[in-house]
Coordinates of all heavy atoms in Angstrom, one line a residue:
M17 N 121.4 140.4 155.1 CA 122.8 139.8 154.8 C 122.8 138.4 155.5 O 122.4 138.2 156.6 CB 123.8 140.8 155.5 CG 125.2 140.4 155.0 SD 126.5 141.5 155.7 CE 126.2 143.1 154.9
S18 N 123.4 137.5 154.7 CA 123.5 136.1 155.2 C 124.5 136.1 156.4 O 125.4 136.9 156.5 CB 123.9 135.2 154.1 OG 125.3 135.3 153.8
E19 N 124.4 135.0 157.1 CA 125.3 134.8 158.3 C 126.7 134.7 157.9 O 127.6 135.3 158.6 CB 124.8 133.5 159.0 CG 125.5 133.3 160.4 CD 124.9 132.1 161.1 OE1 123.6 131.9 161.0 OE2 125.7 131.4 161.7
I20 N 127.0 134.1 156.8 CA 128.4 133.9 156.3 C 128.9 135.3 155.9 O 130.1 135.6 156.1 CB 128.4 132.9 155.1 CG1 128.1 131.5 155.6 CG2 129.8 133.0 154.4 CD1 129.1 131.0 156.6
K21 N 128.1 136.1 155.2 CA 128.6 137.4 154.8 C 128.9 138.3 156.0 O 129.9 139.0 156.0 CB 127.5 138.1 153.9 CG 127.5 137.6 152.5 CD 126.5 138.3 151.7 CE 126.4 137.8 150.3 NZ 125.5 138.5 149.4
V22 N 128.1 138.2 157.1 CA 128.4 138.9 158.3 C 129.7 138.5 158.9 O 130.5 139.3 159.3 CB 127.2 138.8 159.3 CG1 127.6 139.3 160.7 CG2 125.9 139.4 158.8
L23 N 129.8 137.1 159.0 CA 131.1 136.6 159.5 C 132.3 137.0 158.7 O 133.3 137.4 159.3 CB 131.0 135.0 159.5 CG 132.1 134.3 160.1 CD1 132.3 134.7 161.6 CD2 131.9 132.8 160.0
R24 N 132.2 137.0 157.4 CA 133.3 137.4 156.5 C 133.6 138.9 156.8 O 134.8 139.2 156.9 CB 132.9 137.2 155.1 CG 134.1 137.4 154.1 CD 133.6 137.1 152.7 NE 133.2 135.8 152.5 CZ 134.0 134.7 152.2 NH1 135.3 134.9 152.1 NH2 133.4 133.5 152.0
S25 N 132.6 139.7 156.9 CA 132.9 141.1 157.2 C 133.6 141.3 158.6 O 134.5 142.1 158.7 CB 131.5 141.8 157.2 OG 131.7 143.2 157.5
Q26 N 133.1 140.6 159.6 CA 133.7 140.7 160.9 C 135.2 140.3 160.9 O 136.1 140.9 161.5 CB 132.9 139.9 161.9 CG 131.6 140.6 162.2 CD 130.8 139.7 163.1 OE1 130.9 138.4 163.1 NE2 129.8 140.3 163.8
V27 N 135.5 139.2 160.2 CA 136.8 138.7 160.1 C 137.7 139.7 159.4 O 138.9 139.9 159.8 CB 136.9 137.3 159.4 CG1 138.3 136.9 159.0 CG2 136.2 136.2 160.2
K28 N 137.2 140.3 158.3 CA 138.0 141.3 157.6 C 138.3 142.5 158.5 O 139.4 143.0 158.4 CB 137.2 141.8 156.4 CG 137.2 140.8 155.2 CD 136.4 141.3 154.0 CE 136.4 140.3 152.9 NZ 135.6 140.7 151.8
K29 N 137.4 142.9 159.4 CA 137.7 144.0 160.3 C 138.8 143.6 161.3 O 139.7 144.4 161.6 CB 136.4 144.3 161.1 CG 135.4 145.1 160.2 CD 134.1 145.3 161.1 CE 133.0 145.9 160.2 NZ 131.8 146.1 161.0
Y30 N 138.8 142.4 161.8 CA 139.8 141.9 162.7 C 141.2 141.9 162.0 O 142.2 142.3 162.5 CB 139.5 140.5 163.2 CG 138.5 140.5 164.3 CD1 137.3 139.8 164.2 CD2 138.7 141.2 165.5 CE1 136.4 139.7 165.2 CE2 137.8 141.2 166.5 CZ 136.6 140.4 166.4 OH 135.7 140.4 167.4
I31 N 141.2 141.5 160.7 CA 142.4 141.4 160.0 C 143.0 142.8 159.7 O 144.2 143.0 159.8 CB 142.2 140.6 158.6 CG1 142.0 139.1 159.0 CG2 143.4 140.8 157.7 CD1 141.7 138.3 157.8
D32 N 142.1 143.7 159.4 CA 142.5 145.1 159.1 C 143.2 145.7 160.4 O 144.1 146.6 160.3 CB 141.4 146.0 158.6 CG 140.9 145.6 157.2 OD1 141.8 145.0 156.5 OD2 139.8 146.0 156.9
K33 N 142.7 145.3 161.6 CA 143.2 145.9 162.8 C 144.4 145.1 163.4 O 145.0 145.5 164.4 CB 142.1 146.0 163.8 CG 141.0 147.0 163.5 CD 140.0 147.2 164.6 CE 139.3 146.0 164.9 NZ 138.2 146.2 166.0
A34 N 144.7 143.9 162.8 CA 145.6 143.0 163.4 C 147.1 143.5 163.4 O 147.5 144.2 162.5 CB 145.6 141.7 162.7
S35 N 147.8 143.2 164.4 CA 149.2 143.5 164.4 C 150.0 142.6 163.5 O 149.4 141.6 162.9 CB 149.8 143.3 165.8 OG 149.8 141.9 166.1
D36 N 151.2 142.9 163.2 CA 152.0 142.0 162.3 C 152.0 140.6 162.8 O 151.9 139.6 162.0 CB 153.4 142.5 162.1 CG 153.4 143.9 161.4 OD1 152.4 144.3 160.8 OD2 154.5 144.5 161.4
K37 N 152.3 140.4 164.1 CA 152.3 139.1 164.6 C 151.0 138.3 164.5 O 151.0 137.2 164.1 CB 152.8 139.2 166.1 CG 153.0 137.8 166.7 CD 154.2 137.1 166.2 CE 154.5 135.8 166.9 NZ 155.5 135.0 166.3
E38 N 149.9 139.0 164.8 CA 148.6 138.4 164.7 C 148.3 138.0 163.3 O 147.8 136.9 163.0 CB 147.5 139.4 165.3 CG 147.6 139.6 166.7 CD 146.7 140.7 167.2 OE1 146.5 141.7 166.4 OE2 146.3 140.7 168.4
L39 N 148.7 138.9 162.4 CA 148.4 138.6 160.9 C 149.2 137.4 160.5 O 148.7 136.6 159.7 CB 148.8 139.8 160.1 CG 148.3 139.9 158.7 CD1 146.8 139.6 158.6 CD2 148.7 141.2 158.0
E40 N 150.4 137.3 161.0 CA 151.3 136.2 160.6 C 150.7 134.9 161.1 O 150.7 133.9 160.4 CB 152.7 136.4 161.2 CG 153.7 135.3 160.8 CD 155.0 135.6 161.4 OE1 155.4 136.8 161.7 OE2 155.8 134.6 161.5
L41 N 150.1 134.9 162.4 CA 149.5 133.7 163.0 C 148.3 133.3 162.1 O 148.1 132.1 161.9 CB 149.1 134.0 164.4 CG 150.3 134.1 165.4 CD1 149.8 134.6 166.7 CD2 151.0 132.8 165.5
V42 N 147.5 134.3 161.7 CA 146.3 134.0 160.9 C 146.7 133.4 159.6 O 146.1 132.4 159.1 CB 145.4 135.3 160.8 CG1 144.3 135.0 159.7 CG2 144.8 135.7 162.1
Y43 N 147.7 134.0 159.0 CA 148.2 133.4 157.7 C 148.6 132.0 157.8 O 148.2 131.2 157.0 CB 149.4 134.3 157.2 CG 150.0 133.7 156.0 CD1 149.5 133.8 154.8 CD2 151.2 132.9 156.1 CE1 150.1 133.2 153.6 CE2 151.8 132.3 155.0 CZ 151.2 132.5 153.8 OH 151.8 131.9 152.7
H44 N 149.4 131.6 158.9 CA 149.8 130.3 159.1 C 148.6 129.3 159.4 O 148.7 128.2 159.0 CB 150.9 130.2 160.1 CG 152.2 130.8 159.7 ND1 152.9 130.3 158.6 CD2 152.9 131.9 160.1 CE1 154.0 131.0 158.5 NE2 154.0 132.0 159.4
L45 N 147.6 129.8 160.0 CA 146.4 129.0 160.3 C 145.8 128.7 159.0 O 145.5 127.5 158.7 CB 145.5 129.8 161.2 CG 144.1 129.1 161.4 CD1 144.3 127.8 162.2 CD2 143.2 130.1 162.1
F46 N 145.6 129.7 158.1 CA 144.9 129.4 156.8 C 145.8 128.5 155.9 O 145.4 127.6 155.2 CB 144.6 130.7 156.1 CG 143.4 131.3 156.6 CD1 143.4 132.6 157.2 CD2 142.1 130.7 156.5 CE1 142.2 133.2 157.7 CE2 141.0 131.3 157.0 CZ 141.0 132.6 157.6
E47 N 147.1 128.8 156.0 CA 148.1 128.0 155.2 C 148.0 126.5 155.6 O 148.1 125.6 154.8 CB 149.5 128.6 155.4 CG 150.5 127.9 154.5 CD 151.9 128.4 154.7 OE1 152.3 128.7 155.9 OE2 152.6 128.6 153.7
A48 N 148.0 126.3 156.9 CA 148.0 124.9 157.4 C 146.7 124.2 157.0 O 146.8 123.0 156.7 CB 148.1 124.9 159.0
T49 N 145.6 124.9 157.0 CA 144.3 124.2 156.7 C 144.2 124.0 155.1 O 143.4 123.2 154.7 CB 143.1 125.0 157.1 OG1 143.1 126.3 156.6 CG2 143.1 125.1 158.6
D50 N 145.1 124.6 154.4 CA 145.1 124.5 152.9 C 145.9 123.3 152.5 O 145.9 122.9 151.3 CB 145.6 125.8 152.3 CG 145.3 125.9 150.8 OD1 144.2 125.4 150.4 OD2 146.1 126.5 150.1
K51 N 146.7 122.7 153.4 CA 147.6 121.6 153.0 C 146.9 120.3 153.4 O 146.0 120.2 154.2 CB 148.9 121.8 153.7 CG 149.7 123.0 153.3 CD 151.0 123.1 154.0 CE 151.7 124.4 153.5 NZ 153.0 124.6 154.2
S52 N 147.5 119.2 152.9 CA 147.1 117.9 153.3 C 147.5 117.6 154.8 O 148.4 118.2 155.3 CB 147.6 116.8 152.4 OG 149.0 116.8 152.5
D53 N 146.8 116.7 155.3 CA 147.1 116.3 156.7 C 148.4 115.5 156.7 O 148.7 114.6 155.9 CB 146.0 115.4 157.2 CG 146.1 115.1 158.7 OD1 147.2 115.1 159.3 OD2 145.0 114.9 159.3
W54 N 149.3 115.8 157.6 CA 150.6 115.1 157.7 C 150.5 113.6 157.9 O 151.3 112.9 157.4 CB 151.5 115.7 158.9 CG 150.9 115.5 160.2 CD1 150.1 116.4 160.9 CD2 151.0 114.4 161.1 NE1 149.7 115.9 162.1 CE2 150.3 114.7 162.3 CE3 151.7 113.2 161.0 CZ2 150.2 113.8 163.3 CZ3 151.7 112.3 162.1 CH2 150.9 112.6 163.2
W55 N 149.4 113.2 158.5 CA 149.1 111.8 158.7 C 149.1 111.0 157.3 O 149.5 109.9 157.2 CB 147.8 111.6 159.5 CG 147.5 110.1 159.8 CD1 146.7 109.3 159.1 CD2 148.1 109.4 160.9 NE1 146.7 108.0 159.8 CE2 147.5 108.1 160.9 CE3 148.9 109.7 161.9 CZ2 147.8 107.1 161.8 CZ3 149.2 108.7 162.9 CH2 148.7 107.5 162.8
D56 N 148.6 111.7 156.3 CA 148.5 111.1 155.0 C 149.9 111.0 154.3 O 150.0 110.3 153.3 CB 147.6 112.0 154.1 CG 146.1 112.0 154.6 OD1 145.7 111.0 155.3 OD2 145.5 113.0 154.4
D57 N 150.9 111.8 154.8 CA 152.2 111.8 154.2 C 153.2 110.9 154.9 O 154.3 110.8 154.4 CB 152.7 113.2 154.3 CG 151.9 114.2 153.4 OD1 151.2 113.8 152.5 OD2 151.8 115.4 153.8
I58 N 152.8 110.2 156.0 CA 153.8 109.3 156.6 C 153.5 107.9 156.2 O 152.4 107.5 155.8 CB 153.8 109.5 158.2 CG1 152.4 109.1 158.8 CG2 154.2 110.9 158.5 CD1 152.4 109.2 160.3
I59 N 154.5 107.0 156.4 CA 154.4 105.6 155.9 C 153.7 104.8 157.0 O 153.6 105.3 158.2 CB 155.8 105.0 155.6 CG1 156.7 105.0 156.8 CG2 156.4 105.8 154.4 CD1 158.1 104.3 156.5
Q60 N 153.2 103.7 156.7 CA 152.4 102.8 157.6 C 153.2 102.5 158.8 O 152.6 102.4 159.9 CB 151.9 101.6 156.8 CG 150.9 100.8 157.7 CD 149.7 101.5 158.0 OE1 149.1 102.2 157.2 NE2 149.3 101.5 159.3
S61 N 154.5 102.2 158.8 CA 155.2 101.8 160.0 C 155.3 103.0 161.0 O 155.2 102.8 162.2 CB 156.6 101.4 159.6 OG 157.4 102.4 159.0
Q62 N 155.3 104.2 160.5 CA 155.3 105.4 161.3 C 153.9 105.5 162.0 O 153.8 105.8 163.2 CB 155.6 106.6 160.6 CG 157.0 106.7 160.1 CD 157.3 107.8 159.1 OE1 156.5 108.1 158.2 NE2 158.4 108.4 159.2
K63 N 152.8 105.3 161.2 CA 151.5 105.3 161.8 C 151.3 104.2 162.9 O 150.7 104.5 163.9 CB 150.4 105.1 160.7 CG 150.4 106.2 159.7 CD 149.4 105.9 158.6 CE 149.4 107.0 157.6 NZ 148.5 106.8 156.4
D64 N 151.9 103.0 162.6 CA 151.8 101.9 163.6 C 152.5 102.3 164.9 O 152.0 102.0 166.0 CB 152.3 100.6 163.0 CG 151.5 100.1 161.8 OD1 150.3 100.5 161.7 OD2 152.1 99.3 161.0
A65 N 153.7 102.9 164.7 CA 154.5 103.3 165.9 C 153.7 104.3 166.7 O 153.7 104.3 168.0 CB 155.8 103.8 165.5
I66 N 153.1 105.3 166.1 CA 152.3 106.3 166.8 C 151.1 105.6 167.5 O 150.8 105.9 168.7 CB 151.8 107.4 165.8 CG1 153.0 108.2 165.3 CG2 150.8 108.3 166.5 CD1 152.7 109.1 164.2
D67 N 150.4 104.7 166.8 CA 149.3 104.0 167.4 C 149.7 103.2 168.6 O 149.0 103.2 169.6 CB 148.6 103.1 166.4 CG 147.8 103.9 165.4 OD1 147.4 105.1 165.7 OD2 147.5 103.4 164.2
T68 N 150.9 102.5 168.5 CA 151.4 101.8 169.6 C 151.7 102.7 170.8 O 151.3 102.4 172.0 CB 152.7 101.1 169.2 OG1 152.4 100.1 168.2 CG2 153.3 100.3 170.4
G69 N 152.3 103.8 170.6 CA 152.6 104.8 171.6 C 151.3 105.3 172.3 O 151.2 105.4 173.5
I70 N 150.3 105.6 171.5 CA 149.0 106.0 172.1 C 148.4 104.9 173.0 O 147.9 105.2 174.1 CB 148.0 106.5 171.0 CG1 148.6 107.7 170.3 CG2 146.6 106.7 171.5 CD1 147.8 108.1 169.1
K71 N 148.4 103.7 172.5 CA 147.9 102.6 173.3 C 148.7 102.4 174.6 O 148.1 102.2 175.7 CB 148.0 101.3 172.5 CG 146.9 101.2 171.4 CD 147.1 100.0 170.5 CE 146.1 100.0 169.4 NZ 146.4 99.0 168.4
Q72 N 150.0 102.6 174.6 CA 150.8 102.5 175.8 C 150.4 103.6 176.8 O 150.3 103.3 178.0 CB 152.3 102.6 175.4 CG 152.8 101.4 174.7 CD 154.2 101.5 174.2 OE1 154.7 102.6 173.9 NE2 155.0 100.4 174.1
I73 N 150.2 104.8 176.3 CA 149.9 105.9 177.2 C 148.5 105.6 177.8 O 148.3 105.8 179.0 CB 149.9 107.2 176.4 CG1 151.3 107.6 176.1 CG2 149.2 108.3 177.2 CD1 151.5 108.8 175.2
N74 N 147.6 105.2 177.0 CA 146.2 104.9 177.4 C 146.2 103.7 178.5 O 145.3 103.7 179.3 CB 145.3 104.5 176.3 CG 144.9 105.8 175.4 OD1 145.1 106.9 175.9 ND2 144.5 105.6 174.2
N75 N 147.2 102.8 178.4 CA 147.3 101.7 179.4 C 148.1 102.1 180.6 O 148.5 101.3 181.4 CB 147.9 100.5 178.7 CG 147.0 99.9 177.7 OD1 145.8 100.0 177.8 ND2 147.6 99.2 176.7
G76 N 148.5 103.4 180.7 CA 149.3 103.9 181.8 C 150.7 103.5 181.8 O 151.4 103.5 182.8
E77 N 151.2 103.1 180.6 CA 152.6 102.7 180.5 C 153.6 103.9 180.2 O 154.8 103.7 180.1 CB 152.7 101.7 179.4 CG 151.9 100.4 179.6 CD 151.9 99.5 178.5 OE1 152.8 99.6 177.6 OE2 151.0 98.7 178.4
G78 N 153.1 105.1 180.0 CA 153.9 106.2 179.8 C 154.5 106.8 181.0 O 154.2 106.5 182.1
V79 N 155.5 107.7 180.8 CA 156.1 108.5 181.9 C 155.6 109.9 181.8 O 155.7 110.5 180.7 CB 157.6 108.4 181.8 CG1 158.2 109.3 182.9 CG2 158.1 107.0 181.8
P80 N 155.0 110.5 182.8 CA 154.5 111.9 182.7 C 155.6 112.8 182.3 O 156.8 112.7 182.8 CB 154.0 112.2 184.2 CG 153.7 110.8 184.7 CD 154.7 109.9 184.1
H81 N 155.2 113.8 181.6 CA 156.2 114.8 181.1 C 157.0 115.5 182.2 O 158.2 115.7 182.2 CB 155.5 115.9 180.2 CG 156.4 117.0 179.7 ND1 156.5 118.2 180.3 CD2 157.2 116.9 178.6 CE1 157.4 118.9 179.6 NE2 157.8 118.2 178.6
K82 N 156.3 115.8 183.3 CA 156.9 116.5 184.4 C 158.0 115.6 185.1 O 159.0 116.1 185.5 CB 155.9 116.9 185.5 CG 155.1 115.8 186.2 CD 154.1 116.4 187.2 CE 153.2 115.3 187.7 NZ 153.6 114.5 188.7
D83 N 157.8 114.3 185.1 CA 158.8 113.4 185.6 C 160.0 113.3 184.7 O 161.2 113.3 185.2 CB 158.2 112.0 185.8 CG 157.1 111.9 186.9 OD1 157.0 112.9 187.7 OD2 156.4 110.9 186.9
V84 N 159.8 113.3 183.4 CA 160.9 113.3 182.5 C 161.7 114.6 182.6 O 163.0 114.6 182.7 CB 160.4 113.1 181.0 CG1 161.5 113.3 180.0 CG2 159.8 111.7 180.9
M85 N 161.0 115.7 182.7 CA 161.7 117.0 182.8 C 162.5 117.1 184.1 O 163.6 117.6 184.1 CB 160.7 118.2 182.7 CG 160.1 118.2 181.3 SD 161.3 118.3 179.9 CE 162.1 119.8 180.2
K86 N 162.0 116.6 185.2 CA 162.6 116.6 186.4 C 163.9 115.8 186.3 O 165.0 116.3 186.7 CB 161.7 116.1 187.5 CG 162.3 116.1 188.9 CD 161.3 115.6 189.9 CE 162.0 115.5 191.3 NZ 161.1 115.0 192.3
K87 N 163.9 114.6 185.7 CA 165.0 113.8 185.6 C 166.1 114.4 184.7 O 167.3 114.5 185.1 CB 164.6 112.4 185.0 CG 165.8 111.5 184.7 CD 165.3 110.2 184.1 CE 166.5 109.3 183.8 NZ 166.1 108.0 183.2
Y88 N 165.7 115.0 183.6 CA 166.7 115.5 182.7 C 167.2 116.9 183.0 O 168.3 117.2 182.7 CB 166.2 115.3 181.2 CG 166.3 113.9 180.8 CD1 165.1 113.1 180.7 CD2 167.5 113.3 180.5 CE1 165.2 111.8 180.4 CE2 167.6 112.0 180.1 CZ 166.4 111.2 180.1 OH 166.5 109.9 179.7
N89 N 166.4 117.6 183.7 CA 166.9 119.0 184.2 C 168.0 118.7 185.2 O 169.0 119.5 185.2 CB 165.7 119.8 184.8 CG 164.9 120.5 183.7 OD1 165.4 120.7 182.6 ND2 163.7 120.8 184.0
T90 N 167.8 117.7 186.1 CA 168.8 117.4 187.1 C 170.1 116.9 186.4 O 171.2 117.3 186.7 CB 168.3 116.3 188.1 OG1 167.1 116.8 188.7 CG2 169.3 116.0 189.1
W91 N 169.9 116.1 185.4 CA 171.0 115.5 184.6 C 171.8 116.6 183.9 O 173.0 116.6 183.8 CB 170.5 114.4 183.7 CG 171.5 113.8 182.8 CD1 172.4 112.9 183.1 CD2 171.7 114.0 181.4 NE1 173.2 112.5 182.1 CE2 172.8 113.3 181.0 CE3 171.1 114.9 180.5 CZ2 173.2 113.3 179.6 CZ3 171.5 114.9 179.2 CH2 172.6 114.1 178.8
L92 N 171.0 117.5 183.3 CA 171.7 118.6 182.5 C 172.5 119.6 183.3 O 173.4 120.2 182.8 CB 170.6 119.3 181.6 CG 170.0 118.5 180.5 CD1 168.8 119.3 179.9 CD2 171.1 118.2 179.4
K93 N 172.1 119.7 184.6 CA 172.8 120.7 185.5 C 174.1 120.1 186.0 O 174.9 120.8 186.6 CB 171.9 121.0 186.6 CG 170.7 121.8 186.2 CD 169.8 122.2 187.4 CE 168.5 122.9 186.9 NZ 167.6 123.2 188.0
K94 N 174.4 118.8 185.8 CA 175.6 118.2 186.3 C 176.8 118.7 185.5 O 176.8 119.0 184.4 CB 175.5 116.7 186.3 CG 174.6 116.2 187.3 CD 174.6 114.7 187.4 CE 173.6 114.2 188.4 NZ 173.5 112.8 188.5

C-alpha cells in the first residue's frame, strides 16, 4: 500500500472517532484550504498598510500586547 493510501486510511479512522467539535474543526480546516488566500482579496492600499505595520514592528516601533492590555484593562475598570 502506498504511503498516501496509508495516510488516507489513518485520517479516515480519526474522523470516524472524532467528536462533533473535532469534526467541525477538521471541516473548517479543509474548507479554509479550499478557498483563495484573503491576501489576494484585499486592495493594494490595505496590503501596503499591513506591510508598513510589519516593518514598524520589526523596527521595534510597536507596543507589546501585554502593555496595551494593561493600559486598557485599567481604563475599562474605571
Side-chain angles (χ1 to χ4, degrees):
M17 191 181 291
S18 75
E19 192 172 321
I20 294 298
K21 286 184 180 182
V22 170
L23 183 60
R24 187 177 303 273
S25 175
Q26 290 172 334
V27 169
K28 286 179 182 179
K29 287 178 187 176
Y30 283 120
I31 289 174
D32 289 340
K33 295 188 294 185
S35 69
D36 290 349
K37 184 67 174 171
E38 291 168 331
L39 193 55
E40 186 177 337
L41 291 170
V42 170
Y43 171 79
H44 288 297
L45 173 67
F46 282 116
E47 183 182 44
T49 59
D50 195 33
K51 295 181 180 176
S52 65
D53 190 332
W54 62 269
W55 186 261
D56 298 329
D57 296 332
I58 62 175
I59 61 175
Q60 188 60 45
S61 62
Q62 293 168 319
K63 292 176 184 179
D64 293 342
I66 292 169
D67 287 337
T68 298
I70 291 170
K71 287 176 186 170
Q72 289 172 332
I73 289 170
N74 289 339
N75 291 332
E77 298 172 23
V79 177
H81 181 262
K82 65 181 170 83
D83 294 346
V84 172
M85 293 308 296
K86 183 178 177 182
K87 176 181 178 180
Y88 287 102
N89 279 335
T90 302
W91 177 75
L92 290 171
K93 291 179 183 178
K94 290 182 179 180

